[in-house]
Amino acid sequence: MTLKTVLYQKWSRHLVLLTVCLMPFGSFVYSVPVIAEENASPSASNSVSTLSDVPTVTQNVYVSPKGSDYLGAGTFQAPYRTLPKVRSVLRDTYAERPEGGTTVWLREGEYELSSTLELNELDSGTADRPVTYRNYPNEQAVITTARTIDPTLWQPLNPEAAARVNPAVYADQLIELDVQSLGLKNTSGFPGGTTFTKEWGIADLIVDGVREPISQWPNPQQKIGKNRVGWVTMNGSADPQSFYYGEGGQPKDGITTDEVNADQTDRTARWQRSIEQGHDLYLKGFWRTDFDPVTSKVESIDNTRHIIRLVDMPEGGIGSKWSKEVPIADSTPAISSTASSVNFPAPSPVTIHNDTYVTQDVYVAHDVYTQPSVPVSPPTVTSVTYQVYRVGTGTEEWQALNLLDEIDMPGEWALDFKDQKIYYYPDGDISKQNIIIADRTGPIIKLTNTSYLNFVGLTIEGGLNNGIEMQNSHHILLDNNTIRNIGGGGILDYYGHHNIIQNNTIYETGSFGISIGYAGNRDTLIPAQSVITNNHIHHTGTLIALEGLIITQSIGMTISHNLIHDVPKHGIRYVYNNDLLFEYNELHHISLEDGDAGAFYTAQDWTSYGNVLRYNYVHDSPRANGFYADDGDSGDTFTNNIVSGVSKAFLFGGGHHNRATGNVIVNATSGIQIDDRGIARKYTADSTHAEQLIAKQPLAEPWKSYGRVLADTYGYDTNLWKNILNPKWHPEYPNGTHFKDNAVVQSGALVIPKKGAVVIQNNPRISSMQSAGLNPNTTNGIYTQNPTILAIFPTINQIYPQIGLQKDNTTSVTATSD
């Protein structure tokens, strides 16, 4: 630790004491920002308490699916049968928790809940008397709200359904299940109606612990033409809510091939017949942007004109927003708008500005962010209202979902809202399979106002909502659990603090992996002191394109050693936060579905200072940017990260004081883009961004002193908040942003803005991975002896093995019998 750091920490502690003395009753607890020390000890991030640190447990309660709530006594020999019974017993002894705590041992088997297992303050422990729920050693305990399905309830297809099966399969290969007779509740339609982005919410099918894929065309690994696997593209817009699938459109790419019917199965004709019979067809598409796909119900298909029409007009109309506008006459004023000329500012030329400092190693290119100018002539007819839509680029992707007609692979299924049937192509002998259907909408486990609870070694699956949901809870440990086959997210934690989420495996979730919100208090700068470490999060967002990890409106947390991969959108989205430390995380195969994404993504906040991202490894994500501070986000420090195989390694979209130093960039389309979009978007001293900062009262305590500490710690302007709110400082410029001392290997140009006090300096370029001594395919990973890289990142060979999951960081607790 440097002398400067020691003096800083001492000064900060004195500042806290002084401020507390001066503040009235109810004063704040000051949050010291994270210090980005280049040579900080890697082991520091592993100093997380585990159950092995808990005092010896003196009370053991046993539960087993083979036990009895009436005859059982909670002993090893006579366990209870259900978790609600255990909850009731422990509540009766709430005021008499034994010294050392209580452990509830879950024996092998499936614990089927009829509703959410809700725990509150009466179920809590204390610091020296915690309550632990955990699996018995070497046994799997599964907690679920799903319903087990008797295999004899499956029947052969009815004649009408048999006539609709895909030509690639035989009708006798499929079976059906009458969901109405089972009394399932979420089978009548999508909660989002005929158009939605985030409201999936229909019953889910899980077989032998595997969440079966809902039917899709193209199939997830099917490549049609030159398209991305699992997708086809539009052939131009027909009107604001219709598009061409064959000839007739005029897309920008000029391709009008009928990809839908290329396999000679008369797909669109089959689809149209099903629609006419009352069966719903939904398409998920990137109708306007390459992010946040919208799922829309189809109204009709015109097989003569090759047009598919949606029930609802997507917001803004069909067709990429980057394509040309087309006004059309329409007599429906409820969904129309007046056409007007839209002229975006011309791109800023890339020049060396007086307050932009660069050296000769900078390779510049045009600002790739600036939106093109597409003027539209005013309509000449004034007697009608005009709608504006786009002609389309021909690259807008879409796919069909949840249709019996497209079940053509073992495991696929569809829920037919009209027939109230699940149609299924079983993979194996169904009479020997464990089949469950998730149909309950609440979380599986919900903690409200709880504390000192531990959940260890459990498997949680089979709900339409979140796996574990925590609100206003603290000192909760979630350790070594498996959360899977969930319609919502894995773990949700809101308004918590001092919580530890570690060693968990989270996969096959319909939306996010882990989501944290309002941890700590940003207004008063009270840190949450929560930890998210050593979790394996993958294949999330399978129904709704959300992130592996989301953190919002939080302060003072450590996120380390997590492995996140195979996610549709951003890997980690952290917006509106302070003093977060991201270190030793590995992310790969990010943004598999969305575009305009980042492995690490944050956006739109002038208050989110003090976040440090160091020793992280991002790789093999060509659709994603590495580190993305979007739309004016400010105050992040990026140090000693490794970024390989991405679009832009760093993308700073018009914010202040974003600083990248000591990073190694390999095989990126662009090393960095720093743009001045704030000029065109008016990120000025009277903007929404400024209002968010003013709402924190930055010229009063505690934010006033916080600004001074930030400036001292990271070398910002002395009058941090005053400058940002001063029009003469030009907050619409990316002032204070640095890209210094980074190694750029086999990567594209650096993009810099025209305006702003931006420092780009000493970023040596190495032409190839071979000359850099980097070979990610070897067992040594990115080990290198290249002197240029070692001068930039001296400890890279020591840091790299520390990144990602640490397999020896597990909890071991010995069970005892009564």
Side-chain angles (χ1 to χ4, degrees), residues 512-516 532 537 540 546-551 559 562 564 567 570-574 582 585:
F512 57 84
I514 298 174
S515 181
I516 310 295
I532 304 173
I537 303 170
T540 61
L546 288 180
E547 295 77 9
L549 173 59
I550 303 170
I551 304 177
I559 304 94
N562 300 288
I564 300 175
V567 296
H570 315 297
I572 297 176
R573 177 185 174 96
Y574 64 107
F582 296 93
N585 300 288

Side-chain angles (χ1 to χ4, degrees), residues 11-82:
W11 180 86
S12 298
R13 286 193 290 269
H14 289 316
L15 174 65
V16 175
L17 295 174
L18 176 62
T19 309
V20 170
C21 291
L22 295 176
M23 292 293 287
F25 180 77
S27 60
F28 64 91
V29 176
Y30 187 69
S31 173
V32 178
V34 176
I35 304 170
E37 290 187 86
E38 181 177 340
N39 296 316
S41 171
S43 62
S45 62
N46 283 330
S47 58
V48 178
S49 63
T50 66
L51 284 182
S52 59
D53 302 320
V54 176
T56 302
V57 173
T58 57
Q59 181 184 31
N60 293 283
V61 179
Y62 295 85
V63 58
S64 168
K66 298 178 182 179
S68 171
D69 288 346
Y70 304 101
L71 302 177
T75 62
F76 184 81
Q77 294 79 12
Y80 296 122
R81 188 177 67 85
T82 68

Side-chain angles (χ1 to χ4, degrees), residues 348 350 366-370 628-632 648 650-656 658 672-681 683 731-735 737 751-756 758 760:
S348 299
V350 179
H366 292 296
D367 186 342
V368 297
Y369 174 80
T370 306
Y628 191 172
D630 196 10
D631 285 341
K648 301 174 187 68
F650 293 87
L651 176 50
F652 298 158
H656 322 120
N658 293 311
I672 189 171
Q673 175 182 314
I674 304 172
D675 60 54
D676 53 15
R677 70 183 70 180
I679 300 172
R681 297 196 171 190
Y683 298 161
E732 65 272 22
Y733 297 171
N735 294 326
T737 294
V751 181
I752 65 175
K754 176 182 177 181
K755 299 288 188 178
V758 178
I760 302 178

